[in-house]
C-alpha cells in the first residue's frame, strides 16, 4: 500500500468561529468549508498551550510542551533558546520512511542555526523564525527576517506578501514531489498581529483587515487543494487544518 502524503496547515491565533462553516457571516471561506464538509470536524479539540512556541512544540513532537523542552514563548533576541536538537518531530519520524519534508511559514521553535526546521527533519524551509511582532528594538530584537533554509533572504520581510509567497512555494513543493510521499507543514504567520494581507485581498471582506486576512488564508488552502486535484494526489493525501 502506498504511503499517503500529509499536509498540515496551522494558522496563528485564528478564532474558533472564524470560518463560514463554523458560523461567521461577515467573510467567506469556501475552500475550508468544502474541506470540512468532505472530511471530519473536531469541535472539542484543544491546543496544548494558548501561546505560540509551546503549542507548536506539542503539535510537532506529540509531547506535552514541558516534555518537549519548550515551556514558554521563545523571544526574537539573540539569547533565545529553542526546541532541543534531540526532540523528535513529525518530520524526523517520516523522513526514514521515504518522505520528502518541507515547512513554510512561522517556525517559532528557535532561530539559532541548530534550532531551525532544517535541523529538525525538514528538507526545505521558507518563512520567518518567530512571531511577526518580535522586532522591538529595546528588547534587542532585529527587523523580522525571512529565511530560506538557513539563510536570511529578506530583512525586514515584506509581510503583506507572506501568505501568497508561502502558498506559491508550497505548490511548487507539491509539484516537485508528486511521484513520492511528502509531508508539508504550512504554518501561516497570520492572523497573528500585526495583520498583513496582499493587495488582491485588501478591503474584500465585511470584517475589515482581519476578515481580509482569513479570506487570503482560505485562498491559500484552495490553491493547494487545487494542486492536489490537478496532480491526481487528492485521494492520496491527508489534509489537516487547525489553529493554535
Amino acid at each position: 500500500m502506498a504511503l499517503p502524503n500529509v499536509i498540515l496547515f496551522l494558522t496563528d491565533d485564528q478564532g474558533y468561529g472564524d470560518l463560514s462553516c463554523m458560523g461567521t457571516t461577515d467573510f467567506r471561506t469556501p475552500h475550508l468549508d468544502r474541506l470540512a464538509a468532505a472530511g471530519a470536524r473536531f469541535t472539542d479539540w484543544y491546543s496544548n498551550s494558548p501561546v505560540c512556541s509551546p503549542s507548536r512544540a506539542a503539535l510537532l513532537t506529540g509531547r506535552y510542551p514541558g516534555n518537549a523542552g519548550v515551556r514558554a514563548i521563545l523571544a526574537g533576541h539573540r539569547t533565545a533558546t529553542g526546541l532541543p536538537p534531540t526532540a523528535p518531530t513529525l518530520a524526523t519520524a517520516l523522513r526514514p520512511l521515504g518522505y520528502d519534508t518541507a515547512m513554510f511559514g512561522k517556525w517559532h521553535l528557535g532561530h539559532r542555526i541548530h534550532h531551525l526546521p532544517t535541523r529538525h527533519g525538514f528538507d526545505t524551509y521558507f518563512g520567518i523564525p518567530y512571531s511577526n511582532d518580535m522586532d522591538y528594538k529595546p528588547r534587542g530584537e532585529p527587523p523580522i527576517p525571512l529565511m530560506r533554509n538557513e539563510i536570511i533572504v529578506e530583512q525586514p520581510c515584506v509581510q503583506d506578501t507572506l501568505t501568497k509567497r508561502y502558498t506559491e512555494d508550497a505548490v511548487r513543493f507539491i509539484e516537485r514531489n508528486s511521484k513520492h510521499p511528502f509531508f508539508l507543514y504550512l504554518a501561516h504567520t497570520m492572523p497573528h498581529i500585526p495583520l498583513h494581507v496582499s493587495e488582491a485581498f485588501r478591503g474584500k471582506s465585511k470584517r475589515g483587515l482581519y476578515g481580509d486576512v482569513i479570506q487570503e488564508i482560505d485562498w491559500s488552502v484552495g490553491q493547494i487543494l487545487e494542486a492536489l486535484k490537478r496532480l491526481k494526489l487528492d485521494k492520496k493525501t491527508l489534509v489537516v487544518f487547525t489553529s493554535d
Side-chain angles (χ1 to χ4, degrees), residues 168-231:
E168 291 170 346
D169 262 44
V171 169
R172 284 192 288 266
F173 172 78
I174 293 169
E175 291 170 342
R176 290 196 306 269
N177 293 282
S178 61
K179 303 301 182 184
H180 42 82
F182 60 81
F183 170 47
L184 168 60
Y185 172 44
L186 177 47
H188 280 294
T189 300
M190 303 300 151
H192 192 284
I193 56 174
L195 295 170
H196 288 269
V197 70
S198 70
E199 196 60 37
F201 290 87
R202 188 177 302 278
K204 301 299 183 181
S205 80
K206 296 179 181 178
R207 203 197 290 185
L209 185 55
Y210 183 85
D212 299 344
V213 166
I214 301 300
Q215 289 192 166
E216 185 166 30
I217 289 173
D218 181 74
W219 165 84
S220 171
V221 172
Q223 290 293 295
I224 289 169
L225 295 179
E226 189 280 328
L228 293 176
K229 186 174 182 179
R230 170 167 48 86
L231 297 167

Side-chain angles (χ1 to χ4, degrees), residues 2-8 94 99-100 173-174 177-184 228 231-239:
L3 293 170
N5 306 309
V6 180
I7 298 177
L8 174 59
L94 291 173
Y99 280 76
D100 281 321
F173 172 78
I174 293 169
N177 293 282
S178 61
K179 303 301 182 184
H180 42 82
F182 60 81
F183 170 47
L184 168 60
L228 293 176
L231 297 167
K232 296 180 172 55
L233 299 174
D234 50 327
K235 304 298 183 183
K236 305 175 183 178
T237 305
L238 173 65
V239 180

Side-chain angles (χ1 to χ4, degrees), residues 42-164:
F42 298 92
T43 58
D44 194 18
W45 179 90
Y46 298 89
S47 173
N48 259 285
S49 173
V51 292
C52 302
S53 302
S55 66
R56 288 155 200 272
L59 181 67
L60 287 178
T61 67
R63 299 176 174 181
Y64 287 115
N67 292 338
V70 182
R71 296 177 179 274
I73 297 175
L74 300 176
H77 54 67
R78 62 183 179 82
T79 61
T81 58
L83 187 67
T86 56
T89 67
L90 285 168
T92 58
L94 291 173
R95 276 177 81 182
L97 301 179
Y99 280 76
D100 281 321
T101 58
M103 193 259 158
F104 303 105
K106 172 183 165 179
W107 174 239
H108 212 170
L109 289 172
H111 63 279
R112 298 186 192 180
I113 290 294
H114 56 284
H115 292 309
L116 290 173
T118 47
R119 305 301 176 98
H120 284 287
F122 290 99
D123 302 312
T124 300
Y125 170 54
F126 177 65
I128 65 173
Y130 38 74
S131 288
N132 64 330
D133 63 340
M134 290 186 166
D135 55 357
Y136 187 55
K137 287 184 180 180
R139 284 198 299 254
E141 297 169 350
I144 302 296
L146 179 64
M147 305 188 72
R148 186 170 295 281
N149 297 323
E150 298 180 358
I151 304 298
I152 294 174
V153 295
E154 186 176 285
Q155 191 174 24
C157 70
V158 180
Q159 294 199 43
D160 284 357
T161 63
L162 284 181
T163 299
K164 182 174 185 289

